């Protein structure tokens, strides 16, 4: 997947981490975020990744945006890439996370336009923090 550019920079936004808890943004590979956490804690390699992220996110925040997919057919929003970061963000109570997004399955590129907040329901705009072009 390649990033489309805005003024020479990939577009990214910020979303409130509570959207993960509310089930608005779901894990792609797991039925719940608690299930994702249990899975990662049970596997040695994943547990090591969580430990490293726990330390780095605590001190530096989330540096690499999560990649969100939006299924065009039914507006199902999911984390395509960044499950480990999402699990730690929930654990540490991080208020918001950076993200990029794409339409699934039609688009092969990361979008260059703001996230379609309406897919998160009537209050979709409230789930988004300020939006920015990533440097």
């Amino acid at each position: 997947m390649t990033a489309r550019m805005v003024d020479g920079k990939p577009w990214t936004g910020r979303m409130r981490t509570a959207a993960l808890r509310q089930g608005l943004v779901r894990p792609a590979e797991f039925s719940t975020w608690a299930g994702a956490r249990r899975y990662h804690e049970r596997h040695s390699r994943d547990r090591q990744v969580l430990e490293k992220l726990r330390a780095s996110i605590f001190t530096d925040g989330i540096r690499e945006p999560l990649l969100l997919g939006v299924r065009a057919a039914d507006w199902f929003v999911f984390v395509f890439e960044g499950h480990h970061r999402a699990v730690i963000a929930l654990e540490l109570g991080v208020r918001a996370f950076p993200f990029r997004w794409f339409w699934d399955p039609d688009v092969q590129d990361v979008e260059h336009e703001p996230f379609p907040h309406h897919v998160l329901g009537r209050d979709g705009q409230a789930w988004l923090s300020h939006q920015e072009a990533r440097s």
Side-chain angles (χ1 to χ4, degrees):
M1 187 164 294
T2 59
R4 291 184 184 166
M5 307 300 259
V6 176
D7 297 328
K9 300 174 185 174
W11 184 90
T12 189
R14 295 187 63 78
M15 184 176 293
R16 297 180 195 285
T17 305
L20 302 173
R21 279 194 202 103
Q22 295 293 326
L24 299 174
V25 179
R26 298 166 182 97
E29 301 171 6
F30 307 95
S31 58
T32 65
W33 285 109
R37 179 185 177 83
R38 281 191 303 272
Y39 176 87
H40 293 320
E41 289 289 351
R42 288 184 188 139
H43 295 85
S44 176
R45 182 189 155 284
D46 290 308
R47 193 170 43 253
Q48 291 172 359
V49 171
L50 291 179
E51 289 171 12
K52 289 179 184 175
L53 285 170
R54 194 172 283 121
S56 70
I57 290 174
F58 182 76
T59 58
D60 301 327
I62 298 175
R63 292 175 281 176
E64 179 69 24
L66 279 67
L67 181 58
L68 306 182
V70 179
R71 215 164 44 199
D74 57 6
W75 295 352
F76 180 82
V77 183
F78 59 95
V79 172
F80 180 77
E81 188 178 284
H83 290 87
H84 294 91
R85 284 169 275 159
V87 164
I88 296 302
L90 287 166
E91 174 187 315
L92 295 178
V94 173
R95 293 179 63 95
F97 59 88
F99 71 92
R100 295 177 301 159
W101 72 281
F102 67 97
W103 284 110
D104 178 57
D106 303 325
V107 177
Q108 297 299 313
D109 296 325
V110 173
E111 289 296 325
H112 67 284
E113 296 182 5
F115 184 81
H117 60 84
H118 64 279
V119 303
L120 296 176
R122 191 182 71 180
D123 299 324
Q125 184 69 37
W127 291 104
L128 301 179
S129 295
H130 89 280
Q131 299 167 353
E132 60 192 22
R134 184 161 172 84
S135 54

